[in-house]
Amino acid sequence: MDLNELKTRAQKEIRKAKNLKELDKIFKKYLGKKGEISRIFSSLKGLSEKEKKKLGKEANLVKREVEEMIKEKLKELQGKLRKQKIEKEKIDVTRPGKKLGVGHLHPLTLVQREVLEIFQSLGFSVVLGPEVETEWYNFDALNIPKDHPARDFWDTFWLLRNQKIPNHKSQIPNKFKIQNSKFQKLLLRTHTSPVQIRYMEKHSPPLRIVVPGKCFRHEATDASHEIQFYQLECLMVDENVSVANFKAIIEEFLKRFFKTKIEIRLRPSYFPFTEPSFEIDIRGEKKGNWTELLGAGMVHPNVFKAAGINPKNWQGFAFGVGLDRLAMLRYKINDIRLFYSGDLRFLKQF
Ligand code: DAH
């Protein structure tokens, strides 16, 4: 057995080893229990003492050298591995970060907030009312009796389980009571006007409120009608409130909301809860076509009575405007259904 040949062979193989697995194989081949070097030691048995000593010494030397070479190679391979791992785990702090999906406000919310801010700056308080309403507040108290044809203006979603709700127990003196049935029917409010009554029952004039909120109508949808929409109700009551006050407030509001002078036109109209009633049309500085904007009027004496306020001492104006309508005019949107479609292509524009 040529020990030198064995050493060179081992050295060559060790040098070529590409990974720990290959190196381990080489270790076993030469230094394992049944490896080539171990076999040399067991072959010593049959030799003379002298030869044993000589060959044993040489074999030991080669063994140590091969061990050393493998150790070196092991260090080299482990170093390489560590470097690769570090390379792989390196964080490039200069790379642009992942964009977080941040939500934003719906156009109707934006418009509602802006409108409320304007009215608050004009001294109006923001008041809310329930979306599920009784027939009393939504209709009767607003001077819309049950069998009156005016009720057909408001296509109503009636709620089925309404028999158990006790009738409206108000502090209203009997002589002012308009309607007195045994039980209240429930419905989804068709307008924000019922909140006028709710508020006046609990607060004495003078008062100025705006009421934003969702309303519902059981009707076919098209580009300008949705079964669900937003209104803003406005009510101002004092000893001497007149149509002139209404005009001043609405003109100021429109100027601030549209950020330009807006011309208004009052057209005679009919609402059961106001007398006189009118429809307001608007047009901008270019004096184009008139656009219908809202319904308004002077609070009807029966409405005051229903809320327990003496119409001889107080008068007021009220109006109701579609917040969707304001948003459509502001953003030049021609289909109200877009607001409720959940279409991100639409919503992302605001
Ligand atoms: N409630 C009416 C509607 O939904 C709008 C309205 C008209 C409200 C005249 C008012 C008003 O307060 O005075 O059609």
Side-chain angles (χ1 to χ4, degrees), residues 154 190-193 196 217 229 231 233-234 271 273-274 277-278 294-298 317-321:
W154 294 275
T190 60
H191 48 181
T192 42
S193 304
Q196 288 188 27
R217 285 193 200 165
F229 54 96
Q231 271 193 347
E233 191 80 12
C234 178
F271 297 103
F273 29 89
T274 42
S277 304
F278 22 81
L294 57 85
M298 299 305 293
F317 71 76
F319 67 83
V321 62

Side-chain angles (χ1 to χ4, degrees), residues 136 139-145 168-181 197 200-201 300-314:
W136 163 262
F139 289 124
D140 304 70
L142 288 166
N143 195 32
I144 318 169
H168 174 77
K169 276 204 204 79
S170 67
Q171 332 75 329
I172 304 167
N174 261 338
K175 61 175 179 174
F176 288 147
K177 268 197 183 144
I178 297 173
Q179 198 82 29
N180 201 358
S181 63
I197 308 290
M200 286 193 290
E201 276 177 348
H300 195 289
N302 286 349
V303 172
F304 279 134
K305 287 179 200 168
I309 288 175
N310 189 342
K312 290 206 173 86
N313 303 335
W314 303 99

Side-chain angles (χ1 to χ4, degrees), residues 115-128 195-197 199-200 202-212 232-242 244-246 248-250 252-253 256 299 304 309 314-319:
V115 169
L116 293 183
E117 225 166 82
I118 296 174
F119 277 103
Q120 278 173 305
S121 80
L122 294 171
F124 287 79
S125 307
V126 177
V127 173
L128 300 177
V195 190
Q196 288 188 27
I197 308 290
Y199 191 80
M200 286 193 290
K202 298 215 169 83
H203 302 82
S204 334
L207 45 93
R208 294 183 203 198
I209 58 164
V210 279
V211 184
L232 181 88
E233 191 80 12
C234 178
L235 174 70
M236 177 171 174
V237 179
D238 209 327
E239 278 171 31
N240 283 309
V241 170
S242 71
N245 296 109
F246 164 70
I249 292 283
I250 200 70
E252 182 62 23
F253 162 69
R256 291 205 211 168
V299 179
F304 279 134
I309 288 175
W314 303 99
Q315 51 193 35
F317 71 76
F319 67 83

Side-chain angles (χ1 to χ4, degrees), residues 226 337-344 346-347:
E226 249 297 3
R337 291 168 295 192
L338 284 167
F339 289 129
Y340 305 94
S341 65
D343 188 336
L344 292 177
F346 170 73
L347 293 173

